[in-house]
Amino acid sequence: MPRKKEVVSGNFVKYDAVVLGSGPAGEGAAMKLAKSGKRVAIVDIREQLGGNCTHVGTIPSKALRQTVSSIIRYQRDPMFKKVGDWKQFTMKQVLRNAHKVIQQQVDTHSRFYDRNNIDVFHGRAYIQDKNTVIIFSEDGIKETLGFKQLVVATGSRPYHPQGLDFNHPRVFDSDKILDLDFTIHKIIIYGAGVIGCEYASIFIGLDHKVDLINTQHQLLSYLDDEIADALSYHLREQGVLIRHNEQIDHLETFDDHVVLYLQSGKKIKADAILWCNGRSGNTDGMGLENVGLTPNSRGQLAVNDQYQTEVENVYAAGDVVGWPSLASAAYDQGRCAGSNMAGEKDVKPVKDIPTGIYTIPEISFFGKTESQLTEEKIPYEVGQASFRHLARAQITGDTVGELKILFHRDTLELLGVHCFGNNAAEIIHIGQAVMQSGNNTIKYFVETTFNYPTMAEAYRVATLNGMNRLF
C-alpha cells in the first residue's frame, strides 16, 4: 500500500518532485526520481493510472490489432473458413479482450507506484506558481502540493479542426473510435499517418470498405521508399482505396451516413468518418502561464537535451514535447528527465529510436534509409530477404513481407534495417542490437548461429544476398 502522505498544514503536502501524468513518460520520471531517493507524487486526471497510452492509445489499439490479426489468420486457414459470423462484429465486441489487457496494465503499474512509495493523486492539476500545484477532483475537493521540481508529462489528444462535429455519432477521432458500438460497412479515414494506416489495416481486416485520405503525396514519407511502396501495395491489394494529395473542404453528417467533400471536387459517402490528422499536447488550462511557459500552436513544450523547459525547475517529456511521440521513447525521455533532475551527469538524451508501426502486417526500422545514404554520398549496398522464402514464415503462413539491410560497401558496417511483415517490431531489435554493438558489421549474421526455423534467419539470408552484390 502507498505510504501515508505527510501533510504539512491543512491539505498542503510537500514533495521533492511532482509529476503530472501517469503515462510512460510520467512513470519513467517518477520511478527514476523515487529510486534516486526523492519524495515523489504523481497526478493523473483519470481515476485509473496508465495515461492515454493504456486507456485510449497504444494498449487498446494494439490489442484491437491483435484480435483482428487473429481473425485474418483464422479466416486464412481453409479448415475454419466457414465457421463464425465475424463480419458482424462491432468494435466494442472486438475490443473485449483489450479491456482485460487495460485492467491488467492498470493493476501492474499501480503496484509499481506502491512498491516505490510514490503518492498518487487523481484529479485535474493546475500550476499555481513555480513551487505549487493545485489538484481539483470532480466533486470540487482540492489538494495543494508543494514541489521543488515539476515534470509535465500530460500526453496528447487527437487534433479537432473547426467545422467537424465530433459529438455526432458517426464522426470519430482515434480515441472515440474505440467506443464504436454499431455495425458499419464503409468508413472514411482522413489522415494517412501512423494512426490512419494502422486503422485502415484494422478495418479492412474486418472486411469493411475503407477510403484512406492522404494529405501527402505518399504514405509515411519518412519510411524507406521500398517499404512505403510495400505498405501501399499491400493495403490496396486488401481493398483499401488510397487517395493522395487530398484536402477536406467540408463534411456533411446525417443520421445514417456522412458525406466528405474534398477540395478536388470529390464526394465520398460512408457510414462513418475517422479523423486521424494530427495531435495536440494536453497543456491548455493547466496554468503554465503562471510559471512563464507558453506552448506552441500544437500545445507542445520546448525542452533542451536534459528535457528541461525554459523554467529551471520544470521539465517535460513524452508526447507533450513532440517528436517522436512513441510510448517507448516517452518512457526513456521521462527516465532521462528524472536522471537529470536527480543530478546525474552525462545523461544521454533519447535519440536512437526504433520505429514500430502496427499495421497488419507491421513495419519497423532503425538507422538510415536508402534516400538518406544516397544524399550523404555514402557507398552502400542492399541485402534482402523475402519472408515467403523463410521456413518459419511458410509454417505460420505469414509470408507477406521482407527484411532489408543497408550496409557500407567497404567496411560492411550495418547502416540501416527495415522490415515489413508479421512481428517486424520484434525482428528489428536484432539489427538494432548489432548496429549499436562493437561488432556492427554484417559479418555477425553469417558468423553467428541462429535457431532454425526462425524469422531471425532473415538476417542471414539478407546478408548473403547483399554480399553477393559485392565485387
Side-chain angles (χ1 to χ4, degrees), residues 84-119:
D85 194 15
W86 60 272
K87 293 183 180 181
Q88 298 303 311
F89 286 170
T90 66
M91 186 68 75
K92 275 197 169 181
Q93 289 174 309
V94 178
L95 271 169
R96 281 176 182 166
N97 182 60
H99 293 305
K100 296 178 184 178
V101 177
I102 290 170
Q103 194 55 54
Q104 288 171 341
Q105 284 289 299
V106 169
D107 294 343
T108 297
H109 292 283
S110 296
R111 287 195 295 271
F112 292 163
Y113 292 108
D114 289 350
R115 290 172 185 171
N116 287 275
N117 292 320
I118 296 171
D119 292 337

Coordinates of all heavy atoms in Angstrom, one line a residue, residues 84-119:
G84 N -18.3 -19.2 -37.9 CA -18.4 -17.9 -37.3 C -18.9 -16.8 -38.2 O -18.6 -16.8 -39.4
D85 N -19.7 -15.9 -37.6 CA -20.2 -14.8 -38.3 C -19.4 -13.5 -37.9 O -20.0 -12.5 -37.4 CB -21.7 -14.6 -38.1 CG -22.3 -13.6 -39.0 OD1 -21.7 -13.3 -40.1 OD2 -23.5 -13.1 -38.7
W86 N -18.1 -13.5 -38.1 CA -17.2 -12.5 -37.6 C -17.4 -11.2 -38.3 O -17.1 -10.1 -37.7 CB -15.8 -12.9 -37.7 CG -15.3 -13.2 -39.1 CD1 -15.4 -14.4 -39.7 CD2 -14.7 -12.3 -40.0 NE1 -15.0 -14.3 -41.0 CE2 -14.5 -13.0 -41.2 CE3 -14.4 -10.9 -39.9 CZ2 -14.0 -12.4 -42.3 CZ3 -13.8 -10.3 -41.0 CH2 -13.6 -11.1 -42.2
K87 N -18.0 -11.1 -39.4 CA -18.1 -9.9 -40.2 C -19.2 -8.9 -39.5 O -19.2 -7.8 -39.9 CB -18.5 -10.2 -41.6 CG -17.5 -10.9 -42.4 CD -17.9 -11.1 -43.9 CE -16.8 -11.8 -44.7 NZ -17.1 -11.9 -46.1
Q88 N -20.0 -9.5 -38.6 CA -21.0 -8.6 -38.0 C -20.5 -8.1 -36.6 O -21.3 -7.5 -35.9 CB -22.3 -9.4 -37.8 CG -22.9 -9.9 -39.1 CD -23.2 -8.8 -40.0 OE1 -23.8 -7.8 -39.6 NE2 -22.8 -8.9 -41.3
F89 N -19.3 -8.3 -36.3 CA -18.7 -7.8 -35.0 C -18.7 -6.3 -35.0 O -18.4 -5.7 -36.0 CB -17.3 -8.3 -34.8 CG -17.2 -9.8 -34.4 CD1 -16.0 -10.4 -34.4 CD2 -18.3 -10.5 -34.1 CE1 -15.9 -11.7 -34.0 CE2 -18.2 -11.8 -33.7 CZ -17.0 -12.5 -33.7
T90 N -19.1 -5.7 -33.9 CA -18.9 -4.2 -33.7 C -17.5 -4.0 -33.1 O -16.9 -5.0 -32.5 CB -19.9 -3.6 -32.8 OG1 -19.8 -4.1 -31.5 CG2 -21.3 -3.9 -33.4
M91 N -17.0 -2.8 -33.1 CA -15.7 -2.5 -32.5 C -15.7 -2.9 -31.0 O -14.7 -3.4 -30.5 CB -15.4 -1.0 -32.6 CG -14.0 -0.6 -32.2 SD -12.7 -1.3 -33.2 CE -12.9 -0.3 -34.7
K92 N -16.8 -2.6 -30.3 CA -16.9 -2.9 -28.9 C -16.7 -4.4 -28.6 O -16.1 -4.9 -27.7 CB -18.1 -2.4 -28.2 CG -18.1 -1.0 -27.8 CD -19.2 -0.6 -26.9 CE -19.0 0.7 -26.2 NZ -20.0 1.1 -25.3
Q93 N -17.3 -5.3 -29.5 CA -17.2 -6.7 -29.3 C -15.7 -7.1 -29.6 O -15.2 -8.0 -28.8 CB -18.1 -7.4 -30.3 CG -19.6 -7.3 -30.0 CD -20.5 -7.9 -31.0 OE1 -20.3 -7.6 -32.2 NE2 -21.4 -8.8 -30.6
V94 N -15.1 -6.6 -30.6 CA -13.7 -7.0 -30.9 C -12.8 -6.5 -29.8 O -11.8 -7.1 -29.5 CB -13.3 -6.4 -32.3 CG1 -11.9 -6.7 -32.6 CG2 -14.2 -6.9 -33.4
L95 N -13.2 -5.4 -29.1 CA -12.3 -4.9 -28.1 C -12.5 -5.5 -26.7 O -11.9 -5.0 -25.7 CB -12.6 -3.4 -28.0 CG -11.7 -2.5 -28.9 CD1 -12.3 -1.1 -28.9 CD2 -10.3 -2.5 -28.4
R96 N -13.3 -6.5 -26.6 CA -13.5 -7.1 -25.2 C -12.2 -7.6 -24.6 O -11.9 -7.3 -23.4 CB -14.5 -8.3 -25.4 CG -15.9 -7.9 -25.5 CD -16.8 -9.1 -25.7 NE -18.2 -8.6 -25.8 CZ -19.2 -9.4 -26.3 NH1 -18.9 -10.7 -26.6 NH2 -20.4 -9.0 -26.4
N97 N -11.3 -8.2 -25.4 CA -10.0 -8.6 -24.9 C -9.2 -7.5 -24.5 O -8.4 -7.5 -23.5 CB -9.3 -9.5 -25.9 CG -8.0 -10.0 -25.3 OD1 -8.0 -10.7 -24.3 ND2 -6.9 -9.7 -26.0
A98 N -9.3 -6.4 -25.3 CA -8.5 -5.2 -25.0 C -8.8 -4.6 -23.6 O -7.8 -4.2 -22.9 CB -8.7 -4.1 -26.0
H99 N -10.0 -4.6 -23.2 CA -10.4 -4.1 -21.9 C -9.8 -4.9 -20.8 O -9.4 -4.4 -19.7 CB -11.9 -4.0 -21.8 CG -12.5 -3.0 -22.7 ND1 -12.2 -1.7 -22.7 CD2 -13.5 -3.2 -23.6 CE1 -12.9 -1.1 -23.6 NE2 -13.7 -2.0 -24.2
K100 N -9.6 -6.2 -21.0 CA -9.0 -7.1 -20.0 C -7.5 -6.7 -19.9 O -6.9 -6.6 -18.8 CB -9.1 -8.5 -20.4 CG -10.5 -9.1 -20.4 CD -10.5 -10.5 -20.8 CE -11.9 -11.1 -21.0 NZ -11.9 -12.5 -21.5
V101 N -6.9 -6.4 -21.0 CA -5.4 -6.0 -21.0 C -5.3 -4.7 -20.3 O -4.3 -4.5 -19.6 CB -4.9 -6.0 -22.5 CG1 -3.5 -5.5 -22.5 CG2 -5.0 -7.3 -23.1
I102 N -6.2 -3.8 -20.6 CA -6.1 -2.4 -20.0 C -6.1 -2.6 -18.5 O -5.3 -2.0 -17.8 CB -7.2 -1.5 -20.4 CG1 -7.1 -1.2 -21.9 CG2 -7.4 -0.3 -19.6 CD1 -8.3 -0.5 -22.5
Q103 N -7.0 -3.4 -17.9 CA -7.1 -3.5 -16.5 C -5.9 -4.2 -15.9 O -5.4 -3.8 -14.8 CB -8.4 -4.3 -16.1 CG -8.7 -4.2 -14.6 CD -8.9 -2.7 -14.1 OE1 -9.6 -2.0 -14.7 NE2 -8.1 -2.4 -13.1
Q104 N -5.3 -5.2 -16.6 CA -4.1 -5.8 -16.2 C -3.0 -4.8 -16.1 O -2.1 -4.8 -15.2 CB -3.8 -7.0 -17.1 CG -4.7 -8.2 -17.0 CD -4.5 -9.2 -18.1 OE1 -3.9 -8.9 -19.1 NE2 -5.0 -10.4 -17.9
Q105 N -2.9 -3.9 -17.1 CA -1.8 -2.9 -17.2 C -2.0 -1.9 -16.0 O -1.0 -1.6 -15.4 CB -1.9 -2.2 -18.5 CG -1.3 -3.0 -19.7 CD 0.2 -3.1 -19.6 OE1 1.0 -2.1 -19.6 NE2 0.7 -4.3 -19.5
V106 N -3.2 -1.5 -15.7 CA -3.5 -0.6 -14.6 C -3.1 -1.2 -13.3 O -2.4 -0.6 -12.5 CB -5.0 -0.2 -14.6 CG1 -5.3 0.5 -13.3 CG2 -5.4 0.6 -15.8
D107 N -3.4 -2.5 -13.1 CA -3.1 -3.2 -11.9 C -1.5 -3.3 -11.7 O -1.0 -3.1 -10.7 CB -3.7 -4.6 -11.8 CG -5.2 -4.5 -11.7 OD1 -5.7 -3.4 -11.4 OD2 -5.9 -5.5 -12.0
T108 N -0.9 -3.6 -12.8 CA 0.6 -3.8 -12.8 C 1.3 -2.5 -12.5 O 2.2 -2.5 -11.6 CB 1.1 -4.3 -14.2 OG1 0.5 -5.6 -14.4 CG2 2.6 -4.4 -14.2
H109 N 0.9 -1.4 -13.1 CA 1.6 -0.2 -12.9 C 1.2 0.4 -11.5 O 2.0 1.1 -10.9 CB 1.2 0.8 -14.0 CG 1.8 0.4 -15.4 ND1 3.2 0.6 -15.7 CD2 1.3 -0.2 -16.4 CE1 3.4 0.1 -16.9 NE2 2.3 -0.4 -17.4
S110 N 0.0 0.2 -11.1 CA -0.3 0.6 -9.7 C 0.6 0.0 -8.7 O 1.0 0.7 -7.7 CB -1.8 0.3 -9.4 OG -2.7 0.9 -10.3
R111 N 0.9 -1.3 -8.9 CA 1.8 -1.9 -7.9 C 3.2 -1.3 -8.0 O 3.9 -1.2 -6.9 CB 1.9 -3.4 -8.3 CG 0.7 -4.2 -7.9 CD 1.0 -5.7 -7.9 NE 1.3 -6.2 -9.2 CZ 0.4 -6.6 -10.1 NH1 -0.9 -6.6 -9.8 NH2 0.7 -7.0 -11.3
F112 N 3.7 -0.8 -9.2 CA 5.0 -0.2 -9.3 C 5.0 1.1 -8.4 O 6.0 1.3 -7.7 CB 5.2 0.3 -10.7 CG 5.4 -0.9 -11.7 CD1 5.3 -0.6 -13.0 CD2 5.7 -2.1 -11.2 CE1 5.5 -1.7 -14.0 CE2 5.9 -3.2 -12.1 CZ 5.8 -3.0 -13.5
Y113 N 3.9 1.9 -8.4 CA 3.9 3.1 -7.6 C 3.9 2.7 -6.1 O 4.5 3.4 -5.2 CB 2.7 3.9 -7.9 CG 2.8 4.5 -9.3 CD1 2.0 4.1 -10.4 CD2 3.7 5.6 -9.6 CE1 2.1 4.6 -11.6 CE2 3.8 6.1 -10.9 CZ 3.0 5.6 -11.9 OH 3.1 6.1 -13.1
D114 N 3.1 1.7 -5.7 CA 3.1 1.3 -4.3 C 4.5 0.8 -3.8 O 4.9 1.2 -2.8 CB 2.1 0.1 -4.2 CG 0.7 0.5 -4.4 OD1 0.4 1.7 -4.4 OD2 -0.2 -0.4 -4.5
R115 N 5.1 0.0 -4.6 CA 6.4 -0.5 -4.2 C 7.5 0.6 -4.1 O 8.4 0.4 -3.3 CB 6.9 -1.5 -5.2 CG 6.1 -2.8 -5.2 CD 6.6 -3.7 -6.4 NE 5.8 -4.9 -6.5 CZ 5.8 -5.7 -7.5 NH1 6.6 -5.5 -8.5 NH2 5.0 -6.8 -7.6
N116 N 7.3 1.6 -4.8 CA 8.3 2.7 -4.8 C 7.9 3.9 -3.9 O 8.5 5.0 -4.0 CB 8.6 3.2 -6.2 CG 9.5 2.2 -7.0 OD1 10.7 2.2 -6.9 ND2 8.8 1.3 -7.7
N117 N 6.8 3.7 -3.1 CA 6.4 4.7 -2.2 C 6.1 6.1 -2.9 O 6.4 7.1 -2.4 CB 7.4 4.9 -1.1 CG 7.5 3.7 -0.2 OD1 6.4 3.1 0.2 ND2 8.7 3.3 0.2
I118 N 5.5 6.0 -4.0 CA 5.1 7.2 -4.8 C 3.6 7.5 -4.5 O 2.8 6.6 -4.7 CB 5.3 7.0 -6.3 CG1 6.8 6.8 -6.6 CG2 4.8 8.2 -7.1 CD1 7.1 6.4 -8.0
D119 N 3.3 8.7 -4.0 CA 2.0 9.1 -3.7 C 1.2 9.4 -5.0 O 1.7 10.1 -5.9 CB 1.9 10.3 -2.8 CG 2.5 10.0 -1.4 OD1 2.4 8.8 -1.0 OD2 2.9 10.9 -0.7

